[in-house]
Amino acid sequence: MSRPAALNILSQRAARHEELGLGRSLRSMGQTSGRWVEVTGGKCLLLASNDYLGLSTHPRLARAAAEASLGCGTGSGASRLISGTLQCHVDLEDSIAQFKETESALFFATGYMANLGVVATLAGPGDVIVSDELNHASLIDACRLSKAEVKIYPHGEVAEAARLLAGAPAGAMKLLLTDGVFSMDGDLAPLPGLREAARENQALLVIDDAHATGVWGPRGRGSLDHFGLEPTPEVVMIGTFSKALGGLGGFMAGAREVTRSLVNGARSFIYTTAPPPAQAAAALAALELVDQLPQLREKLHELSALLRELLQEQGFKLLSPAGPIIPILVGPANKAVALGEGLLRRGVFAPAIRPPTVPEGTSRLRLAVSAAHEEEDMHLAAGALAEAAREVGL
Ligand SMILES: Cc1ncc(COP(=O)(O)O)c(C=O)c1O
């Protein structure tokens, strides 16, 4: 039987993508320990996960999730505003607010949904969003959904962000939007300057701290903690439990007025079933562990510094000065894929990151270190990468 024309169109599009080296397919991972993973039948060093503290395999999280399921069931049954708000959600939100030192917090099913909900509720038609050019896709989608006027500033340029905010019409809601740590470059946003720019222009500063929560700052509170800044009321923090916190779920932490607006207006909060008890219980356990196990964060930063040093010795130029996200810039998508495959043949898994995840011509490998790793893993990774890079002529 012939295939419908619509499916042929999809096949043609896919073929064009493949030609450009941009085809994507799902690779199934076998068992993982946070350090090792089974890929295509072999055991490899895992350098492609955001499980920065190795908490996704921590028995305390697994136990908390299992006990919550056994005690409260596997589903919450309805959206938060109907009958889905359970005591575990309320406890978790109290705990998030305490952790982030804010007046209030709200739990979402994922970080992506938190970003959509926060930005599209706070800003609408007639409002202005000033957004860093390298912000995560979920913030970009959130801007589109808001229908506000979106002004993009060059990566990290505070003066330009301030100028764009100052140009917004009087009376408009102004949002200044940035990742706390940029997911594909690994650098921190210049938060002291951005917060000043937000203050001077009566704007809210929205920080997506997905890659900073649990990782950055002396207490692991995130990017503000790193800069020694208090979370003042004009700061709206967004985060996720899916990375350093080893589980799943997003959150907003900020002023009471923001939480009230979201409960009343965030469609990605209102029109979806509340996250199950297991997810909330694991999230709560993860927040506790960030406080109880500071040694994980210390180890993560030590290992990251070691890998960075070893890579620099091998002649690699790094895009950011510190932290567990270490991009190796390649350029063309096909070459980045070849480098990733070469690395995999040498027992290290860190696949290529290509457009549209990163800008055209900046395809790369994104190495991500975890506290689940050991020193010897950093040596293995640097050696394997140097060999694979020579093989592809990098
Ligand atoms: C910067 C950033 N924000 C938000 C998200 C979305 O978080 P989640 O995976 O919880 O949906 C991600 C990654 O997935 C991210 O990298």
Side-chain angles (χ1 to χ4, degrees):
M1 207 165 60
S2 70
R3 307 286 289 168
L7 297 185
N8 288 336
I9 294 174
L10 296 184
S11 297
Q12 284 157 14
R13 283 185 197 162
R16 271 200 302 276
H17 248 79
E18 290 294 343
E19 275 167 28
L20 295 170
L22 296 176
R24 295 171 184 230
S25 59
L26 296 172
R27 196 188 310 242
S28 114
M29 302 282 126
Q31 215 181 359
T32 175
S33 64
R35 180 183 181 194
W36 301 103
V37 67
E38 277 173 28
V39 189
T40 52
K43 191 173 126 187
C44 289
L45 181 67
L46 175 61
L47 270 180
S49 164
N50 299 312
D51 184 13
Y52 300 117
L53 298 178
L55 292 187
S56 75
T57 50
H58 198 287
R60 279 265 292 277
L61 268 66
R63 210 175 306 122
E67 283 169 4
S69 290
L70 290 169
C72 307
T74 51
S76 52
S79 66
R80 290 288 301 275
L81 283 168
I82 306 298
S83 64
T85 295
L86 309 176
Q87 190 56 43
C88 58
H89 297 119
V90 178
D91 292 345
L92 176 60
E93 283 163 349
D94 287 348
S95 182
I96 296 167
Q98 214 175 357
F99 183 84
K100 286 287 189 179
E101 297 171 325
T102 54
E103 289 173 355
S104 66
L106 198 65
F107 185 45
F108 286 74
T110 68
Y112 185 92
M113 290 166 81
N115 277 348
L116 290 190
V118 170
V119 174
T121 304
L122 299 184
D127 295 331
V128 173
I129 301 176
V130 173
S131 180
D132 189 291
E133 65 178 338
L134 292 189
N135 278 344
H136 187 254
S138 54
L139 287 179
I140 296 171
D141 293 355
C143 288
R144 291 175 183 153
L145 191 64
S146 76
K147 301 198 173 73
E149 185 185 351
V150 181
K151 298 168 183 255
I152 306 294
Y153 63 92
H155 181 50
E157 289 196 12
V158 175
E160 186 57 11
R163 193 186 69 77
L164 292 172
L165 283 175
M173 165 69 89
K174 292 173 237 174
L175 298 187
L176 176 52
L177 221 59
T178 185
D179 284 10
V181 166
F182 288 84
S183 54
M184 294 299 139
D185 286 30
D187 55 332
L188 282 139
L191 291 185
L194 290 177
R195 194 175 63 166
E196 208 41 48
R199 265 192 187 158
E200 278 170 8
N201 291 285
Q202 298 289 310
L204 292 177
L205 172 61
V206 179
I207 305 170
D208 176 355
D209 240 8
H211 294 273
T213 303
V215 172
W216 285 95
R219 298 166 307 144
R221 299 302 196 253
S223 51
L224 281 181
D225 190 22
H226 168 77
F227 287 107
L229 296 174
E230 301 279 313
T232 42
E234 72 274 6
V235 176
V236 180
M237 265 173 293
I238 306 176
T240 177
F241 287 95
S242 68
K243 306 191 192 295
L245 300 173
L248 183 69
F251 63 84
M252 184 292 303
R256 283 187 301 277
E257 294 87 336
V258 175
T259 300
R260 193 184 316 136
S261 304
L262 297 177
V263 169
N264 283 275
R267 296 172 70 84
S268 61
F269 175 80
I270 297 170
Y271 297 108
T272 191
T273 299
Q279 190 181 338
L284 190 58
L287 288 182
E288 287 166 8
L289 286 185
V290 169
D291 275 347
Q292 290 165 6
L293 301 175
Q295 60 272 31
L296 290 180
R297 196 163 52 254
E298 283 154 24
K299 183 180 178 198
L300 172 68
H301 285 287
E302 278 166 23
L303 290 175
S304 304
L306 172 62
L307 181 56
R308 285 169 174 277
E309 193 185 312
L310 294 171
L311 289 170
Q312 276 168 325
E313 277 170 23
Q314 297 282 1
F316 291 102
K317 288 195 179 60
L318 306 181
L319 290 182
S320 56
I325 301 172
I326 310 179
I328 304 294
L329 201 58
V330 177
N334 281 324
K335 204 166 175 179
V337 171
L339 182 61
E341 294 298 333
L343 198 57
L344 185 58
R345 282 195 299 278
R346 291 169 175 84
V348 179
F349 184 61
I353 308 286
R354 297 161 288 163
T357 308
V358 291
E360 205 63 51
T362 70
S363 289
R364 63 195 69 184
L365 298 193
R366 174 189 182 272
L367 311 181
V369 180
S370 167
H373 291 134
E374 298 300 338
E375 252 184 59
E376 68 216 57
D377 303 336
M378 304 298 102
H379 289 275
L380 168 66
L385 191 63
E387 275 183 32
R390 275 195 293 277
E391 196 174 72
V392 299
L394 197 69

